């Protein structure tokens, strides 16, 4: 990383049921096809941001924040795919 401290927030808007007290931007579904498509879009967005910042080393981050929705909506395979896309696009600093 280039000395800048960056925090990466990943919004995972999917929930399989609605919590009426929740004010988060969310998509209530049980269709994991939607989350797979979303992961692909996130991967492209992270690659575009990294390129705009000068590449994976320049686009590094030191803190990762999950939000949603319910991040546990993703299967283990989907979470590994998302983390792989993050790793391809941006260098992780010391967390």
């Amino acid at each position: 990383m280039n000395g800048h401290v960056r925090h990466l927030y990943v919004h995972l808007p999917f929930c399989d049921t609605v919590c009426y007290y929740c004010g988060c931007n969310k998509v209530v579904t049980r269709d994991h096809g939607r989350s797979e498509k979303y992961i692909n879009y996130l991967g492209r967005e992270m690659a575009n941001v990294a390129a705009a910042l000068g590449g994976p080393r320049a686009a590094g981050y030191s803190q990762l924040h999950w939000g949603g929705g319910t991040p546990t909506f993703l299967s283990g395979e989907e979470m590994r795919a998302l983390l792989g896309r993050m790793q391809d696009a941006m260098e992780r600093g010391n967390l």
Side-chain angles (χ1 to χ4, degrees):
M1 289 189 347
N2 61 9
H4 296 287
V5 176
R6 291 200 178 88
H7 306 267
L8 180 61
Y9 171 76
V10 180
H11 187 78
L12 300 169
F14 302 101
C15 301
D16 59 2
T17 59
V18 67
C19 296
Y20 293 102
Y21 58 84
C22 179
C24 295
N25 180 10
K26 59 195 169 293
V27 175
V28 179
T29 185
R30 293 178 189 215
D31 177 5
H32 282 263
R34 294 182 76 178
S35 56
E36 181 181 355
K37 186 184 289 188
Y38 185 75
I39 289 168
N40 289 332
Y41 287 132
L42 282 177
R44 286 193 292 194
E45 183 175 353
M46 287 185 279
N48 289 339
V49 168
L53 292 173
R57 286 188 61 83
Y61 63 94
S62 60
Q63 290 188 15
L64 173 61
H65 304 270
W66 299 105
T70 307
T72 56
F73 177 87
L74 298 183
S75 67
E77 183 177 317
E78 290 171 316
M79 187 61 79
R80 282 188 289 280
L82 176 56
L83 290 171
R85 294 211 178 229
M86 289 168 55
Q87 187 174 25
D88 290 344
M90 300 176 179
E91 181 177 280
R92 185 184 75 199
N94 294 327
L95 296 177

